[in-house]
Amino acid sequence: MSLRESLSTPDAKARYVRRLFGTIAGRYDLITVLLSYGRDRAWKRRLAGMAEVRPGAQALDLACGTGDITFDLVRRGARAIGLDITSRMIDLARAKVTAGRAPAAAGFLVGDMMALPFGDGSFDLVTAGYGLRNVPDLDGALDEIRRVLTPGGLFLSLDFDRPPGRLLRVTYLAYLTIVGSLVGLVLHGDPDTYRYIAESLRRYPGAEAVAGKLRDRGFTNARVVPVLGGLMAIHVARVGGPVPAPPAGAAGPA
Ligand SMILES: C[S@@+](CC[C@H](N)C(=O)[O-])C[C@H]1O[C@@H](n2cnc3c(N)ncnc32)[C@H](O)[C@@H]1O
């Protein structure tokens, strides 16, 4: 089945994504550094810095992978849980704790962000790093995120974006296709493993449209913070309700 066919329906995409991340989990950290030219950690730290973490805040990091954002949130004082559908990713996140390379207070579980195993209003903060682009049903995922956020709770998401200008967009997608195919071929003998980034981005509505969806679903102040000149984006959105006081001395979202 071609990559295009594998992403053509929500069920097919869910199956493909599960298999894909199971395959690449072992090399995920290395590849993320290489494909982002070492910038990925700084983008994640920027997202975590915008989270206005209060000590003891309940945080949920969706599609947590090997746990970078989860660990950042714990270091900033949150009680954070990382959730990911790929059990190998969760194993790798836990192994960082066991090896003493990450804070032990982080909790991890295997789960699907389309059907979160938490009650309504369970979290002050929900984050997702490269998560929204991978779900089979974006609207359903946003509804789940809103459901588990407490009134006044904050949602932050980092992901690729499609630049609005046609020339830049075509060039960017071509670049991601070529580089992704080469890396996939060299590392996994399958160009589609990383060509998936460009292909999923083609199907992604774009950061501004996602901000519109957040507003439609009752989030307030949904906005897009461009990263890397708009090639990437961070979404910031809040659930209506009383906003918890930020920690003393904290700067507002950049
Ligand atoms: C590109 S990785 C991002 C990992 C991590 N957030 C980071 O920024 O390094 C995308 C992750 O989304 C996870 N994922 C995909 N679909 C998911 C779903 N429906 N529910 C939970 N996790 C999912 C994958 O298993 C994978 O670990």
Side-chain angles (χ1 to χ4, degrees):
M1 192 189 277
S2 72
L3 180 55
R4 228 162 247 187
E5 283 165 345
S6 300
L7 303 180
S8 61
T9 67
D11 281 353
K13 180 175 179 183
R15 277 196 302 278
Y16 184 81
V17 164
R18 286 177 95 124
R19 206 174 53 243
L20 173 72
F21 286 106
T23 303
I24 69 174
R27 288 176 169 140
Y28 179 75
D29 283 352
L30 172 68
I31 287 302
T32 307
V33 171
L34 292 179
L35 286 181
S36 70
Y37 299 100
R39 299 298 300 147
D40 167 70
R41 295 306 304 273
W43 298 330
K44 289 172 178 165
R45 275 198 300 275
R46 184 170 175 191
L47 175 141
M50 293 165 73
E52 305 166 3
V53 174
R54 288 172 296 110
Q58 300 282 353
L60 174 64
D61 180 31
L62 296 172
C64 67
T66 61
D68 285 348
I69 295 174
T70 321
F71 294 130
D72 259 4
L73 297 175
V74 170
R75 289 188 190 103
R76 288 166 195 267
R79 290 149 62 121
I81 296 174
L83 175 143
D84 199 287
I85 205 161
T86 305
S87 58
R88 181 79 184 116
M89 290 283 193
I90 294 295
D91 291 345
L92 289 164
R94 287 182 178 142
K96 290 181 183 175
V97 174
T98 309
R101 290 191 288 123
F108 290 98
L109 83 155
V110 177
D112 187 347
M113 59 191 276
M114 300 305 307
L116 292 171
F118 303 106
D120 298 359
S122 300
F123 295 96
D124 306 302
L125 170 68
V126 173
T127 57
Y130 315 107
L132 293 184
R133 192 173 31 85
N134 292 313
V135 294
D137 169 14
L138 183 53
D139 292 348
L142 297 180
D143 285 340
E144 268 300 80
I145 290 165
R146 190 185 185 290
R147 182 183 69 73
V148 300
L149 272 168
T150 193
L154 188 65
F155 173 54
L156 288 165
S157 162
L158 166 72
D159 217 321
F160 290 82
D161 193 14
R162 287 196 323 217
R166 190 168 185 281
L167 183 61
L168 183 56
R169 187 171 60 246
V170 169
T171 309
Y172 183 46
L173 288 171
Y175 167 81
L176 289 174
T177 302
I178 293 164
V179 172
S181 299
L182 284 174
V183 173
L185 194 60
V186 170
L187 289 185
H188 299 284
D190 176 7
D192 285 354
T193 43
Y194 293 104
R195 192 163 70 84
Y196 166 77
I197 297 174
E199 212 48 51
S200 60
L201 195 49
R202 283 195 178 92
R203 290 166 165 72
Y204 183 66
E208 281 304 336
V210 173
K213 286 176 178 290
L214 286 162
R215 285 179 209 114
D216 292 346
R217 305 193 124 63
F219 285 87
T220 57
N221 301 330
R223 66 193 176 91
V224 177
V225 178
V227 177
L228 202 66
L231 301 183
M232 318 278 302
I234 294 176
H235 283 98
V236 190
R238 214 174 259 293
V239 173
V243 177

